[in-house]
Coordinates of all heavy atoms in Angstrom, one line a residue:
K118 N 7.8 26.4 2.9 CA 6.4 26.3 2.9 C 5.9 25.0 2.2 O 5.0 24.3 2.6 CB 5.8 27.5 2.2 CG 5.9 28.8 3.1 CD 5.3 30.0 2.3 CE 5.3 31.3 3.2 NZ 4.8 32.4 2.4
R119 N 6.5 24.7 1.0 CA 6.2 23.5 0.3 C 6.4 22.3 1.1 O 5.6 21.3 1.1 CB 6.9 23.4 -1.0 CG 6.6 24.5 -2.1 CD 7.1 24.0 -3.5 NE 8.5 23.8 -3.4 CZ 9.5 24.7 -3.6 NH1 9.1 26.0 -3.8 NH2 10.7 24.4 -3.6
A120 N 7.6 22.3 1.8 CA 7.9 21.1 2.6 C 6.9 20.9 3.7 O 6.5 19.8 4.0 CB 9.3 21.2 3.1
L121 N 6.5 22.0 4.4 CA 5.5 21.9 5.5 C 4.2 21.4 5.0 O 3.5 20.6 5.6 CB 5.4 23.2 6.2 CG 6.7 23.7 7.0 CD1 6.4 25.0 7.6 CD2 7.0 22.7 8.1
S122 N 3.8 21.9 3.8 CA 2.5 21.4 3.2 C 2.6 20.0 2.9 O 1.6 19.2 3.1 CB 2.2 22.3 2.0 OG 2.0 23.6 2.3
R123 N 3.7 19.6 2.3 CA 3.9 18.1 2.0 C 3.8 17.3 3.2 O 3.2 16.2 3.2 CB 5.2 18.0 1.3 CG 5.6 16.5 1.0 CD 6.9 16.5 0.3 NE 7.5 15.2 0.4 CZ 8.8 14.9 -0.1 NH1 9.5 15.9 -0.6 NH2 9.3 13.7 0.0
D124 N 4.5 17.7 4.3 CA 4.4 16.9 5.5 C 3.0 16.8 6.1 O 2.6 15.7 6.5 CB 5.3 17.6 6.6 CG 5.3 16.9 7.9 OD1 5.7 15.7 8.0 OD2 4.8 17.5 8.9
A125 N 2.2 17.9 6.0 CA 0.8 17.8 6.5 C 0.0 16.8 5.7 O -0.7 16.0 6.3 CB 0.2 19.2 6.4
L126 N 0.2 16.8 4.4 CA -0.5 15.8 3.5 C -0.1 14.4 3.8 O -0.9 13.5 4.0 CB -0.3 16.2 2.1 CG -1.0 17.4 1.5 CD1 -0.5 17.7 0.1 CD2 -2.5 17.3 1.6
E127 N 1.2 14.2 3.9 CA 1.7 12.8 4.1 C 1.4 12.3 5.5 O 1.1 11.2 5.7 CB 3.3 12.8 3.9 CG 3.6 13.0 2.5 CD 5.2 13.1 2.3 OE1 5.9 13.1 3.3 OE2 5.6 13.0 1.1
R128 N 1.4 13.2 6.5 CA 1.0 12.9 7.9 C -0.5 12.4 7.9 O -0.8 11.4 8.6 CB 1.2 14.1 8.8 CG 1.0 13.8 10.3 CD 1.5 15.0 11.1 NE 2.9 15.3 10.7 CZ 3.9 14.6 11.2 NH1 3.7 13.6 12.0 NH2 5.1 14.9 10.8
N129 N -1.3 13.2 7.2 CA -2.8 12.8 7.2 C -2.9 11.4 6.5 O -3.7 10.6 7.0 CB -3.6 13.9 6.4 CG -3.7 15.1 7.2 OD1 -3.7 15.1 8.4 ND2 -4.0 16.2 6.5
H130 N -2.2 11.2 5.5 CA -2.2 9.9 4.8 C -1.8 8.8 5.7 O -2.5 7.7 5.8 CB -1.4 9.9 3.6 CG -1.3 8.6 2.8 ND1 -2.4 8.1 2.1 CD2 -0.3 7.7 2.7 CE1 -2.1 7.0 1.6 NE2 -0.8 6.7 1.9
R131 N -0.7 9.0 6.5 CA -0.2 7.9 7.4 C -1.2 7.7 8.5 O -1.4 6.6 8.9 CB 1.1 8.3 8.0 CG 2.3 8.3 7.0 CD 3.6 8.3 7.7 NE 3.9 9.5 8.4 CZ 4.4 10.6 7.9 NH1 4.8 10.6 6.6 NH2 4.7 11.6 8.6
C132 N -1.8 8.8 9.0 CA -2.8 8.6 10.1 C -4.0 7.8 9.6 O -4.5 7.0 10.3 CB -3.3 10.0 10.6 SG -2.0 10.9 11.6
R133 N -4.5 8.1 8.4 CA -5.6 7.4 7.8 C -5.3 5.9 7.6 O -6.0 5.0 8.0 CB -6.1 8.0 6.5 CG -7.2 7.2 5.8 CD -7.8 7.9 4.7 NE -8.7 7.1 3.9 CZ -9.9 6.7 4.3 NH1 -10.4 7.1 5.4 NH2 -10.6 5.9 3.5
K134 N -4.0 5.7 7.2 CA -3.6 4.3 6.9 C -3.6 3.5 8.3 O -4.0 2.4 8.3 CB -2.3 4.2 6.2 CG -1.8 2.8 5.9 CD -0.5 2.8 5.1 CE -0.8 3.2 3.7 NZ 0.4 3.0 2.9
R135 N -3.0 4.2 9.3 CA -3.0 3.5 10.6 C -4.4 3.2 11.1 O -4.7 2.1 11.7 CB -2.3 4.4 11.6 CG -0.7 4.4 11.5 CD -0.1 4.9 12.7 NE -0.4 6.3 12.9 CZ 0.3 7.3 12.5 NH1 1.4 7.1 11.7 NH2 0.0 8.6 12.7
A136 N -5.3 4.1 10.9 CA -6.7 3.9 11.4 C -7.4 2.8 10.6 O -8.1 2.0 11.2 CB -7.5 5.2 11.2
L137 N -7.1 2.7 9.3 CA -7.6 1.6 8.5 C -7.0 0.3 8.9 O -7.8 -0.7 9.0 CB -7.3 1.9 7.0 CG -8.1 3.0 6.3 CD1 -7.7 3.1 4.9 CD2 -9.6 2.7 6.3
R138 N -5.8 0.3 9.2 CA -5.1 -1.0 9.6 C -5.6 -1.5 10.9 O -5.7 -2.7 11.2 CB -3.6 -0.8 9.6 CG -3.0 -0.8 8.2 CD -1.5 -0.6 8.2 NE -0.9 -0.7 6.9 CZ 0.4 -0.6 6.6 NH1 1.2 -0.3 7.6 NH2 0.8 -0.7 5.4
A139 N -6.0 -0.5 11.8 CA -6.6 -0.9 13.1 C -7.9 -1.6 12.9 O -8.3 -2.5 13.6 CB -6.7 0.4 13.9
R140 N -8.7 -1.1 11.9 CA -10.0 -1.7 11.6 C -9.8 -3.1 11.0 O -10.5 -4.1 11.4 CB -10.8 -0.9 10.6 CG -11.3 0.4 11.2 CD -11.7 1.4 10.1 NE -12.7 1.0 9.3 CZ -13.2 1.8 8.2 NH1 -12.6 2.9 8.0 NH2 -14.2 1.4 7.5
F141 N -8.8 -3.3 10.1 CA -8.5 -4.6 9.6 C -8.0 -5.6 10.7 O -8.2 -6.8 10.6 CB -7.5 -4.5 8.4 CG -8.2 -4.2 7.1 CD1 -8.3 -2.8 6.7 CD2 -8.7 -5.1 6.3 CE1 -8.9 -2.5 5.5 CE2 -9.3 -4.8 5.1 CZ -9.4 -3.5 4.7
A142 N -7.3 -5.0 11.7 CA -6.8 -5.8 12.7 C -7.9 -6.5 13.6 O -7.6 -7.4 14.3 CB -5.9 -5.0 13.6
T143 N -9.1 -6.0 13.4 CA -10.2 -6.6 14.2 C -10.7 -7.9 13.5 O -11.5 -8.6 14.1 CB -11.4 -5.6 14.3 OG1 -11.9 -5.3 13.0 CG2 -10.9 -4.3 15.0
L144 N -10.3 -8.1 12.3 CA -10.7 -9.3 11.6 C -9.9 -10.5 12.1 O -8.8 -10.4 12.3 CB -10.5 -9.1 10.1 CG -11.3 -8.0 9.4 CD1 -11.0 -8.0 7.9 CD2 -12.8 -8.0 9.6
S145 N -10.6 -11.6 12.1 CA -9.9 -12.9 12.5 C -9.1 -13.4 11.3 O -9.3 -12.9 10.1 CB -11.0 -14.0 12.9 OG -11.7 -14.3 11.7
G146 N -8.3 -14.4 11.5 CA -7.5 -14.9 10.4 C -8.3 -15.5 9.3 O -8.1 -15.3 8.1
R147 N -9.4 -16.2 9.7 CA -10.3 -16.8 8.7 C -11.0 -15.7 7.9 O -11.2 -15.8 6.7 CB -11.3 -17.7 9.3 CG -12.3 -18.3 8.4 CD -11.6 -19.1 7.3 NE -11.5 -20.5 7.7 CZ -10.9 -21.5 7.0 NH1 -10.4 -21.1 5.8 NH2 -10.8 -22.7 7.4
E148 N -11.4 -14.6 8.6 CA -12.1 -13.5 7.9 C -11.2 -12.8 6.9 O -11.6 -12.4 5.8 CB -12.6 -12.5 9.0 CG -13.8 -13.0 9.7 CD -14.1 -12.2 11.0 OE1 -13.3 -11.3 11.4 OE2 -15.2 -12.5 11.6
M149 N -9.9 -12.7 7.3 CA -8.9 -12.2 6.3 C -8.8 -13.1 5.1 O -8.7 -12.6 4.0 CB -7.6 -12.0 7.0 CG -7.5 -10.7 7.9 SD -7.7 -9.2 7.0 CE -6.2 -9.1 6.0
E150 N -8.8 -14.4 5.3 CA -8.7 -15.3 4.2 C -9.9 -15.1 3.3 O -9.8 -15.0 2.0 CB -8.7 -16.8 4.7 CG -7.4 -17.2 5.2 CD -7.4 -18.7 5.6 OE1 -8.2 -19.1 6.5 OE2 -6.8 -19.5 4.9
V151 N -11.1 -15.1 3.9 CA -12.3 -14.9 3.1 C -12.3 -13.5 2.3 O -12.6 -13.5 1.2 CB -13.6 -14.9 4.0 CG1 -14.8 -14.5 3.2 CG2 -13.8 -16.3 4.6
L152 N -11.8 -12.5 3.0 CA -11.8 -11.2 2.4 C -10.8 -11.2 1.2 O -11.1 -10.6 0.1 CB -11.2 -10.1 3.4 CG -11.0 -8.7 2.9 CD1 -12.3 -8.2 2.3 CD2 -10.4 -7.8 3.9
G153 N -9.7 -11.9 1.3 CA -8.8 -12.0 0.2 C -9.5 -12.6 -1.1 O -9.2 -12.1 -2.2
H154 N -10.4 -13.5 -0.9 CA -11.1 -14.1 -2.0 C -12.2 -13.2 -2.5 O -12.5 -13.1 -3.7 CB -11.6 -15.5 -1.7 CG -10.5 -16.5 -1.5 ND1 -9.8 -17.1 -2.5 CD2 -10.0 -17.0 -0.3 CE1 -8.9 -17.9 -2.1 NE2 -9.0 -17.9 -0.7
V155 N -12.8 -12.5 -1.5 CA -13.9 -11.6 -1.9 C -13.4 -10.5 -2.8 O -14.1 -10.2 -3.8 CB -14.6 -11.0 -0.6 CG1 -15.5 -9.8 -1.0 CG2 -15.3 -12.0 0.2
V156 N -12.3 -9.9 -2.5 CA -11.8 -8.8 -3.3 C -11.3 -9.3 -4.6 O -11.0 -8.5 -5.5 CB -10.8 -8.0 -2.5 CG1 -11.4 -7.3 -1.3 CG2 -9.6 -8.8 -2.2
R157 N -11.1 -10.6 -4.8 CA -10.8 -11.2 -6.1 C -12.0 -11.3 -6.9 O -11.9 -11.6 -8.1 CB -10.1 -12.6 -5.9 CG -8.7 -12.6 -5.5 CD -8.2 -14.0 -5.4 NE -8.1 -14.6 -6.8 CZ -8.0 -15.9 -7.0 NH1 -7.8 -16.7 -6.0 NH2 -7.9 -16.3 -8.2
G158 N -13.2 -11.1 -6.3 CA -14.4 -11.2 -7.1 C -15.0 -12.6 -7.1 O -15.9 -12.9 -7.9
Q159 N -14.6 -13.5 -6.2 CA -15.1 -14.8 -6.2 C -16.4 -14.8 -5.5 O -16.7 -14.1 -4.5 CB -14.1 -15.7 -5.5 CG -12.8 -16.0 -6.2 CD -12.0 -17.1 -5.6 OE1 -12.2 -17.5 -4.5 NE2 -11.0 -17.6 -6.4
L160 N -17.3 -15.8 -5.9 CA -18.6 -16.0 -5.3 C -18.5 -16.8 -4.0 O -17.5 -17.5 -3.8 CB -19.5 -16.7 -6.3 CG -19.7 -15.9 -7.6 CD1 -20.6 -16.8 -8.6 CD2 -20.4 -14.6 -7.4
N161 N -19.5 -16.8 -3.2 CA -19.5 -17.5 -2.0 C -19.2 -19.0 -2.2 O -18.4 -19.6 -1.4 CB -20.9 -17.4 -1.2 CG -21.0 -15.9 -0.7 OD1 -20.1 -15.2 -0.6 ND2 -22.3 -15.6 -0.3
K162 N -19.8 -19.6 -3.2 CA -19.6 -21.0 -3.4 C -18.1 -21.3 -3.8 O -17.5 -22.3 -3.3 CB -20.5 -21.5 -4.5 CG -20.4 -23.0 -4.7 CD -21.4 -23.5 -5.8 CE -21.5 -25.0 -5.9 NZ -20.2 -25.6 -6.1
Q163 N -17.5 -20.4 -4.6 CA -16.2 -20.6 -5.0 C -15.2 -20.5 -3.7 O -14.3 -21.2 -3.6 CB -15.8 -19.5 -6.0 CG -16.5 -19.7 -7.4 CD -16.2 -18.5 -8.3 OE1 -16.4 -17.4 -7.9 NE2 -15.6 -18.8 -9.5
I164 N -15.6 -19.5 -2.9 CA -14.7 -19.3 -1.7 C -14.9 -20.5 -0.8 O -13.9 -21.0 -0.2 CB -15.2 -18.0 -0.9 CG1 -15.0 -16.8 -1.8 CG2 -14.4 -17.9 0.4 CD1 -15.6 -15.5 -1.3
A165 N -16.1 -21.0 -0.6 CA -16.3 -22.2 0.2 C -15.5 -23.4 -0.3 O -14.9 -24.1 0.5 CB -17.8 -22.5 0.3
D166 N -15.5 -23.6 -1.6 CA -14.8 -24.7 -2.2 C -13.3 -24.5 -1.9 O -12.6 -25.5 -1.6 CB -15.1 -24.8 -3.7 CG -16.5 -25.3 -4.0 OD1 -17.1 -25.9 -3.0 OD2 -17.0 -25.1 -5.1
R167 N -12.8 -23.3 -2.1 CA -11.4 -23.0 -2.0 C -10.9 -23.3 -0.5 O -9.8 -23.8 -0.3 CB -11.1 -21.6 -2.4 CG -9.7 -21.1 -2.1 CD -8.7 -21.6 -3.1 NE -9.0 -21.1 -4.5 CZ -8.2 -21.3 -5.5 NH1 -7.1 -22.0 -5.3 NH2 -8.5 -20.9 -6.7
L168 N -11.7 -22.8 0.4 CA -11.3 -22.9 1.8 C -11.8 -24.2 2.5 O -11.4 -24.5 3.6 CB -11.9 -21.7 2.6 CG -11.3 -20.3 2.1 CD1 -11.9 -19.2 3.0 CD2 -9.8 -20.3 2.2
G169 N -12.6 -25.0 1.8 CA -13.1 -26.2 2.4 C -14.1 -26.0 3.5 O -14.1 -26.8 4.5
I170 N -14.9 -25.0 3.4 CA -15.9 -24.7 4.4 C -17.3 -24.6 3.8 O -17.4 -24.6 2.6 CB -15.6 -23.4 5.2 CG1 -15.5 -22.2 4.2 CG2 -14.3 -23.5 6.0 CD1 -15.3 -20.9 4.9
H171 N -18.4 -24.6 4.6 CA -19.7 -24.5 4.1 C -20.0 -23.1 3.6 O -19.5 -22.1 4.1 CB -20.7 -24.8 5.2 CG -22.1 -25.2 4.7 ND1 -23.0 -24.2 4.4 CD2 -22.7 -26.4 4.5 CE1 -24.1 -24.8 4.0 NE2 -23.9 -26.1 4.0
E172 N -20.8 -23.0 2.5 CA -21.2 -21.8 1.9 C -21.8 -20.8 2.9 O -21.6 -19.6 2.9 CB -22.1 -22.0 0.7 CG -22.3 -20.7 -0.1 CD -23.1 -21.0 -1.4 OE1 -23.3 -22.2 -1.8 OE2 -23.6 -20.0 -2.0
R173 N -22.6 -21.4 3.8 CA -23.3 -20.5 4.8 C -22.2 -19.9 5.8 O -22.4 -18.8 6.2 CB -24.3 -21.4 5.6 CG -24.9 -20.6 6.8 CD -26.0 -21.4 7.5 NE -26.5 -20.7 8.6 CZ -27.3 -19.7 8.6 NH1 -27.8 -19.2 7.4 NH2 -27.7 -19.1 9.7
T174 N -21.2 -20.7 6.0 CA -20.1 -20.1 6.9 C -19.5 -18.9 6.2 O -19.1 -17.9 6.8 CB -19.1 -21.2 7.2 OG1 -19.7 -22.3 7.8 CG2 -18.0 -20.7 8.1
V175 N -19.3 -19.0 4.9 CA -18.7 -17.9 4.1 C -19.6 -16.7 4.2 O -19.1 -15.6 4.5 CB -18.5 -18.3 2.6 CG1 -18.1 -17.1 1.8 CG2 -17.5 -19.4 2.5
K176 N -20.9 -16.9 4.1 CA -21.8 -15.8 4.3 C -21.7 -15.1 5.6 O -21.7 -13.9 5.8 CB -23.3 -16.2 4.0 CG -23.5 -16.7 2.6 CD -25.0 -17.1 2.4 CE -25.3 -17.6 1.0 NZ -26.7 -18.1 0.9
L177 N -21.6 -15.9 6.7 CA -21.4 -15.4 8.0 C -20.1 -14.6 8.2 O -20.1 -13.5 8.8 CB -21.5 -16.5 9.0 CG -22.8 -17.2 9.2 CD1 -22.6 -18.4 10.1 CD2 -23.9 -16.3 9.8
H178 N -19.1 -15.1 7.6 CA -17.8 -14.4 7.6 C -17.9 -13.0 6.8 O -17.4 -12.0 7.3 CB -16.7 -15.2 7.0 CG -16.2 -16.3 7.9 ND1 -15.9 -16.1 9.2 CD2 -15.9 -17.6 7.6 CE1 -15.5 -17.3 9.8 NE2 -15.5 -18.2 8.8
R179 N -18.6 -13.1 5.7 CA -18.7 -11.8 4.9 C -19.5 -10.8 5.7 O -19.2 -9.6 5.6 CB -19.4 -12.1 3.6 CG -18.5 -12.9 2.7 CD -19.0 -13.1 1.3 NE -19.1 -11.8 0.6 CZ -19.1 -11.6 -0.8 NH1 -19.0 -12.7 -1.5 NH2 -19.2 -10.5 -1.3
T180 N -20.6 -11.2 6.4 CA -21.4 -10.3 7.2 C -20.5 -9.7 8.3 O -20.6 -8.5 8.6 CB -22.6 -11.0 7.8 OG1 -23.4 -11.5 6.8 CG2 -23.4 -10.1 8.7
A181 N -19.7 -10.5 8.9 CA -18.8 -10.0 10.0 C -17.8 -9.0 9.4 O -17.5 -8.0 10.1 CB -18.1 -11.2 10.7
I182 N -17.3 -9.3 8.3 CA -16.3 -8.4 7.6 C -16.9 -7.1 7.3 O -16.3 -6.0 7.7 CB -15.7 -9.1 6.3 CG1 -14.9 -10.3 6.7 CG2 -14.9 -8.1 5.5 CD1 -14.6 -11.2 5.5
T183 N -18.0 -7.1 6.7 CA -18.7 -5.8 6.3 C -19.1 -5.0 7.6 O -19.0 -3.8 7.6 CB -19.9 -6.0 5.4 OG1 -20.8 -6.9 6.0 CG2 -19.4 -6.6 4.1
T184 N -19.5 -5.7 8.6 CA -19.9 -5.0 9.9 C -18.7 -4.4 10.5 O -18.7 -3.2 10.9 CB -20.5 -6.0 10.8 OG1 -21.7 -6.6 10.2 CG2 -20.9 -5.3 12.1
K185 N -17.6 -5.2 10.6 CA -16.4 -4.7 11.3 C -15.7 -3.5 10.5 O -15.2 -2.6 11.1 CB -15.4 -5.8 11.5 CG -15.8 -6.8 12.6 CD -14.8 -7.9 12.7 CE -15.1 -9.0 13.7 NZ -14.1 -10.0 13.9
L186 N -15.7 -3.6 9.2 CA -15.0 -2.6 8.4 C -16.0 -1.4 8.1 O -15.5 -0.4 7.6 CB -14.5 -3.2 7.1 CG -13.4 -4.3 7.3 CD1 -12.9 -4.8 6.0 CD2 -12.2 -3.7 8.2
G187 N -17.3 -1.7 8.2 CA -18.2 -0.6 8.0 C -18.4 -0.2 6.5 O -18.8 0.9 6.2
V188 N -18.2 -1.2 5.6 CA -18.4 -1.0 4.2 C -19.2 -2.1 3.6 O -18.9 -3.3 3.9 CB -17.1 -0.8 3.4 CG1 -16.5 0.6 3.7 CG2 -16.2 -1.9 3.6
P189 N -20.3 -1.9 2.8 CA -21.2 -2.9 2.4 C -20.8 -3.6 1.1 O -21.2 -4.8 0.9 CB -22.5 -2.2 2.3 CG -22.1 -0.8 1.9 CD -20.8 -0.5 2.5
S190 N -20.1 -2.9 0.2 CA -19.9 -3.5 -1.2 C -18.5 -4.0 -1.4 O -17.6 -3.6 -0.7 CB -20.2 -2.4 -2.2 OG -19.2 -1.4 -2.2
V191 N -18.5 -4.9 -2.3 CA -17.2 -5.5 -2.7 C -16.2 -4.4 -3.2 O -15.0 -4.5 -2.9 CB -17.4 -6.6 -3.8 CG1 -16.0 -7.1 -4.3 CG2 -18.1 -7.8 -3.2

Side-chain angles (χ1 to χ4, degrees):
K118 287 180 179 178
R119 290 196 307 272
L121 293 177
S122 295
R123 172 180 164 186
D124 178 61
L126 288 172
E127 292 178 348
R128 186 171 305 283
N129 287 337
H130 177 70
R131 289 196 297 270
C132 286
R133 175 169 169 76
K134 182 176 287 187
R135 283 196 295 269
L137 287 177
R138 286 180 172 176
R140 288 161 65 182
F141 278 92
T143 65
L144 301 182
S145 68
R147 177 62 88 182
E148 287 165 352
M149 283 296 293
E150 283 186 293
V151 170
L152 177 60
H154 292 285
V155 169
V156 298
R157 284 184 64 194
Q159 292 189 344
L160 301 176
N161 289 346
K162 187 177 186 309
Q163 293 173 305
I164 298 172
D166 290 342
R167 173 74 67 172
L168 297 180
I170 58 178
H171 197 279
E172 187 174 348
R173 176 174 174 76
T174 304
V175 173
K176 292 179 181 179
L177 291 174
H178 284 314
R179 291 188 66 154
T180 298
I182 291 167
T183 56
T184 300
K185 290 179 179 179
L186 298 182
V188 289
S190 71
V191 172

